[in-house]
Amino acid sequence: MESLWNEHEEATYTKRCVEAGYPAELGARVYTSQLLGRRSDLVLHGGGNTSVKSRAREIAGRECDVLFVKGSGWDLATIEPAGFPACRLQALLELCDLEELSDTDMVKGLRSQMLDPGSPTPSVEALLHALIPGKFVDHTHADAAVAILDRPEGRDLAREVWGEESLILPYVMPGFILARSVHALRDQQGLPDAGCLILDKHGIFTWDGTARASYERMVEAVSRAERRLAVTRSRLPSTASLPLRSLGMRGPVAIALRGAIQREHSGSMVSTWAADEHTLALSTNPNGPSLTAGPITPDHVIRTKPWPLWLRAHDTKSLRSQCDTAVREYSTRYKAYFDRHVNGRPLKQLPSAPRVVLVPGLGACCFGTTLRDAEITADIFGHTAQVLLDVTTETVFEPVGESDLFELEYWSLEQAKLGKGALAPMQGRVALVTGAAGGIGLETAQAMLARGCHVFISDVDETALESATQALRDRFAERVAAYPCDVCSLNDVDALIERCISAFGGLDYVISNAGVAPTGVLHNPDGQRSLEASLRVNLMGHQHVASASARWLIEQGSGGCLVFNASKAAFAPGPEFGPYTVAKTALIGLMRQYAIDLGRLGIRANAVNADRVRTGLFGGGVLEQRAAARGLTADAYFRQNLLGRETEARDVAEAFVWLCSAEATTGTVITVDGGNPAAFPR
C-alpha cells in the first residue's frame, strides 16, 4: 500500500477549511480522512473513524480544547468539516475516568459536550480518540489487518507482523468498554505520543502529531500485514475456469430466494449479486460453509447477519422447495442463536432472514430493503471473501466469538448506524411500468417511487425513455432502472422482464400501461387496418407483458399484482373510435381472465378506466378529432364530466398505486374520469 498524501492537495483543503471558519488542522484532518476513505480495503460504507485535537471558540467567546471527531452518518470517503463535531476535550477525558457508563449516558455525555448541538452525534469511539495522546488519530478495519487477526494464532502473528513497538489489545466491545481498556493500558504502561494500537478481531488505530504522519503510520501498518499475507496467499482460480452455471440462473435463483424470504418473513427485500473473483472462488469451495463462521470485523454484522446462507443445490426442477427449506433452516438457526444469548434481557429479535446467500458458481445473492442496502452488503461480502481465502490458505478462520458478535449486533448504538425509521409503504417492493416515458406511465412511476418502491420503466421511444430515466434517477437514484421495449415483440418483453429481475431481484407489481389511440370506422379498409394495429398494441401487447410477468410471479410464489390501463371506451364507446374501443373492451376481458386463473396463487389482476387525460395519445390530431365529434373545444372536452374538472395523469397514477396495494381486490375496474354515467361499471 502506498501513501497518497500530496502537499499541494493538503494545502488546498486547509485553505478551504480556514476560509470557512474552521481551524487549519481540521482541513488536514479532512484531507487524510478522505485518503483513507478512498480505499475500500481500509474502510467500507461508514466504517472507520478519525479525529484531531484542536482549539475552538464557544458561543460565549471563550476558547477551549476540543476534539473534532468523525460524526455518525458520515463516510470518510466524502467527509467534510461539518462531519466533525467539536466536543470539549477535558469533559470527554473525565468521562473516561468513570468506572461505569451506560450506552445511553455515554451518548448523552458526548452530545452534552458538543459546541454546536446541531452537529452530528460523535462517533462511539470518541472517548478512545480523546484518550489517545496523538493530535491526529486514525482508525480503520483494514482487510489485511483482520486477515492477520481473524485466526487462532492471531495475536501471536500480530506481534510478529507489527513488532514490540505496537500495542496489541484483546478484543473488547467498542465504545466505553474499549475506552476503559485503553485507559487501563495507559495507566499501566503509558501511551506514546505517536503509535499504533492493534485491536484483536477488529482493526487498527494509529496516531501522531500531524495528519500526514498519522495517515502514513496507518499505511505502513497495513503494508506490513499485506507483505505477510503475500507470503502464503494462494493464486485464485481463473473465473474462466470456475465451474460456473449459466449466468441466466441468477434470475431464477434470486426470485426463488426472494419468494422464500417473503413467505417466511414479513416485509420485502430486493437483491443484487456479489460476483467478484473472490466471492466466486469462495462459492465453489467445498468447505465453504465451515469457512464462513462470521463477519471479518464485528461491525459488519448489522449488514451481513452473523453468517451467510449456503444454497448448495439449485436444481431448476425443485428450486422453490430448495429455497424454502434453506431459508426456513436459516431462520431456525438464527432464532436459536438469539435464544442462546438474549439471557432474559428485554431484546426484540431482529429479522432472521438471510442477507447473504452463497450459490456455487453464481456468487452471493445479497439482500436489503433498498438496492443501496443490498449493494453495500454485496461490497462488504466481496471483501469478506478475500479475507476468508487469505486466512484459510494457511490456517482456520476464527473471527470474534458468537456471544461478542451478538452483543454488537444488538447494540443500540450499532443499530443506529442504519438510520432506522418508519418504512415507506412500498419499501422493498418492485414495480414494472410500461409506456413510462411520459404521461400516465411516468406519473405512475413517480408515485410508486415516492412510496419507496423500486421501479423498472420501459417505453418504445428510446430517446424519451432515456430522458425520463435520468429525471427519475436525479430524484430517486438507484431505485430506478430502465430498458426500451416494444410490447408487440415477445422477445422484447421477455428480455424486459429478465432485465427487471436482474436489476432488483424480484417483481411485485406490473403496470401494463403502453398503448396507442387509433381512430376510424370499422367498416372501412382503413378502420380494419387500424383495428388490427390497435389489437397488436392495446390487447396483445398487454397479453405479452402479463403472460411473461405472470410466469416470474408464479415462480416467486409470493403473490403480486397485474394492473392494466384500459379505458372508459370499454364501457362507453365513442363515435369513430372503434379500433381503440374494441381492443380496450377485450383488455377488460383479459384482465378478468387473469384474475380468475391466478387468484388461487395470490396474484391479483385489475384495471383502470381513465378518460380524457392529456397525454401523447391525443397527439397527431386525435384531440381535435375527438373534441370536434362532440362539438367542444379542447379544454371543454377535458372538463366534460360530472365533477367539471380535468382528469390529470397523476389522478390515474394514484389509482394504479391503490390497486397495487389493495391486497383483497382482484378482477375489478376503477374509473378515473371525473364522473361519466355512461361509463359507470356494470
Side-chain angles (χ1 to χ4, degrees), residues 5 10 13-14 17 23-37 49-54 67-70 76 79-81 83-84 129 134-140 206-216 218:
W5 185 87
E10 183 179 273
Y13 274 75
T14 299
C17 203
E25 53 259 47
L26 184 56
R29 173 71 290 171
V30 170
Y31 172 59
T32 54
S33 297
Q34 290 188 11
L35 291 184
L36 293 173
N49 37 74
T50 58
S51 68
V52 60
K53 299 174 181 71
S54 183
L67 176 76
F68 287 100
V69 64
K70 178 195 165 190
L76 289 182
I79 199 164
E80 293 292 340
F84 287 92
H129 281 263
K135 184 177 182 66
F136 291 85
V137 181
D138 296 338
H139 172 46
T140 74
T206 59
W207 62 94
D208 213 322
T210 68
R212 177 185 180 181
S214 182
Y215 162 72
E216 291 187 341
M218 179 64 70

Side-chain angles (χ1 to χ4, degrees), residues 547-632:
S547 62
S549 300
R551 290 193 294 272
W552 284 95
L553 291 173
I554 291 168
E555 186 66 30
Q556 184 171 262
S558 55
C561 187
L562 306 174
V563 192
F564 302 90
N565 190 351
S567 171
K568 153 265 178 188
F571 292 159
E576 299 184 7
F577 214 26
Y580 183 76
T581 296
V582 171
K584 290 295 188 178
T585 302
L587 180 57
I588 295 295
L590 184 78
M591 175 274 291
R592 289 171 172 163
Q593 194 62 49
Y594 271 104
I596 291 168
D597 291 342
L598 299 181
R600 63 185 176 82
L601 301 174
I603 300 171
R604 298 169 287 117
N606 296 290
V608 173
N609 277 4
D611 186 35
R612 304 185 190 185
V613 181
R614 290 184 196 257
T615 69
L617 293 183
F618 280 104
V622 173
L623 170 59
E624 291 74 15
Q625 183 180 355
R626 304 311 305 146
R630 290 165 173 75
L632 300 170

